[in-house]
Amino acid sequence: MKNIVCFGEVLWDVFPTHKKIGGAPLNVALRLQSFGNKVSIITRIGDDTKGAEIADFIKAHGVNTENVQVDDVLETGAVDVVLDDTGSASYTINANRAWDNIQLTETAIAKTKQADAFIFGSLVARDLTSRATLYALLDVAKYKVLDTNLRAPHYTTEVLSHLMSVADFLKFNDDEIFEISKALGFESTSLEDNIVFISKHTNTKSICVTKGSQGAIYYQDDTFFYNEGYKVEVVDTVGAGDSFLGSLITKLLKGTPPQEAIDYACAVGALVASHEGANPKLNEADIRAFINS
């Protein structure tokens, strides 16, 4: 069992016909918890009914809520989600929400210092307050995992560069790494070339890039590991990348060989995409059967 802290936004994903609790850091936390890790989340909700529902949901799923802060001014986060005909999602992220105002507290510092891994996204750094808290916690974290989440206009190259430079592990999708590399002055159509560039630019030894239905590439210590993806009927892609990351980090922290780890993570991500919502329940037997099918 590993002790892991996730930092960032929790919110409601609002679809045209329904709503679900989400936010990338929470989705990652829930998947990590489902694999038997000891998981905490540092975030902020509004003092409202939607926030209370999220807090109850997190607690019911076994994630530590000691650092779920309550804001008496800003509302709980919400994102409007639209799915296209292929199940791919587009997002409209409401501004000035509670998760933009995460405060630096002694309990958050202590929890971060104790963690085997500290997982954070780039979206939470859109606001000065949460960004400052994140930067302070990164100073004390042992092993830092950046889940890049480019949602225009909520990021800058300057902030992304800093986050990448302090991380020990970087996760992108293929569109994101090409965009960031270009912004940093590097252009190549080769995904591998872009990964090597980012690795050298940030001095990061571990980088993973997801490719949607085409699987993922994992780069560790100058070696590439590939998975070409698993075929499923996609229902929606919300949370698939988050479950992928939670699965991959779980395996790597346990010392699982990189190829086995990325195969497993791709399988979990595909299974999530074949279900509605970001956090469907998956059991180990079904995951193994799917990999071997």
Side-chain angles (χ1 to χ4, degrees):
M1 178 187 295
K2 295 297 182 179
N3 185 356
I4 304 173
V5 169
C6 296
F7 177 93
E9 67 274 10
V10 296
L11 45 82
W12 284 91
D13 287 320
V14 182
F15 297 82
T17 59
H18 63 285
K19 64 179 183 178
K20 286 185 175 291
I21 292 171
L26 177 56
N27 295 337
V28 174
L30 294 173
R31 190 57 62 196
L32 288 164
Q33 184 72 24
S34 76
F35 291 132
N37 296 292
K38 185 178 180 181
V39 185
S40 302
I41 188 163
I42 301 172
T43 189
R44 195 170 180 93
I45 55 177
D47 187 13
D48 47 36
T49 301
K50 290 180 179 179
E53 289 183 54
I54 290 178
D56 290 343
F57 177 85
I58 296 172
K59 187 177 295 184
H61 284 77
V63 174
N64 183 287
T65 58
E66 179 183 9
N67 286 287
V68 177
Q69 304 170 9
V70 179
D71 197 298
D72 59 4
V73 175
L74 299 176
E75 296 179 16
T76 297
V79 172
D80 297 320
V81 185
V82 177
L83 303 176
D84 65 18
D85 292 339
T86 69
S88 294
S90 58
Y91 307 89
T92 301
I93 305 170
N94 296 326
N96 299 318
R97 295 301 175 111
W99 60 266
D100 290 310
N101 193 38
I102 302 172
Q103 302 293 307
L104 182 64
T105 65
E106 291 301 321
T107 55
I109 293 170
K111 189 67 71 174
T112 300
K113 285 182 176 179
Q114 296 165 3
D116 297 300
F118 178 80
I119 301 177
F120 64 102
S122 57
L123 180 58
V124 73
R126 72 176 182 173
D127 182 88
L128 181 60
T129 302
S130 290
R131 188 192 316 153
T133 298
L134 173 59
Y135 284 11
L137 294 177
L138 288 170
D139 285 341
V140 300
K142 297 175 191 173
Y143 185 76
K144 300 170 279 289
V145 177
L146 170 58
D147 181 13
T148 309
N149 192 359
L150 301 189
R151 298 282 183 260
H154 304 290
Y155 61 92
T156 67
T157 301
E158 180 183 4
V159 170
L160 289 171
S161 292
H162 176 74
L163 295 177
M164 292 190 298
S165 70
V166 299
D168 301 293
F169 182 105
L170 303 175
K171 183 254 182 184
F172 310 90
N173 66 35
D174 46 359
D175 290 334
E176 288 169 339
I177 195 169
F178 281 121
E179 179 177 337
I180 293 170
S181 293
K182 184 176 181 179
L184 294 173
F186 180 81
E187 291 193 55
S188 170
T189 58
S190 165
L191 189 51
E192 288 84 352
D193 286 351
N194 280 269
I195 291 171
V196 171
F197 167 75
I198 292 293
S199 177
K200 291 179 178 178
H201 183 83
T202 63
N203 194 31
T204 308
K205 301 295 184 182
S206 299
I207 297 176
C208 187
V209 179
T210 57
K211 302 189 295 176
S213 63
Q214 303 302 310
I217 300 178
Y218 178 50
Y219 181 72
Q220 179 177 296
D221 297 326
D222 303 321
T223 302
F224 287 100
F225 301 90
Y226 298 85
N227 180 283
E228 299 304 321
Y230 298 92
K231 290 185 178 181
V232 295
E233 185 174 338
V234 175
V235 175
D236 76 58
T237 60
V238 177
D242 304 326
S243 280
F244 169 92
L245 180 60
S247 306
L248 183 60
I249 293 301
T250 294
K251 289 297 183 181
L252 293 175
L253 289 178
K254 290 181 177 179
T256 302
Q259 187 62 59
E260 181 181 339
I262 195 172
D263 290 344
Y264 187 90
C266 283
V268 171
L271 285 170
V272 171
S274 71
H275 291 75
E276 182 183 284
N279 300 296
K281 290 185 178 180
L282 304 175
N283 64 61
E284 187 66 20
D286 289 342
I287 297 169
R288 288 297 175 189
F290 179 71
I291 292 173
N292 295 325
S293 63

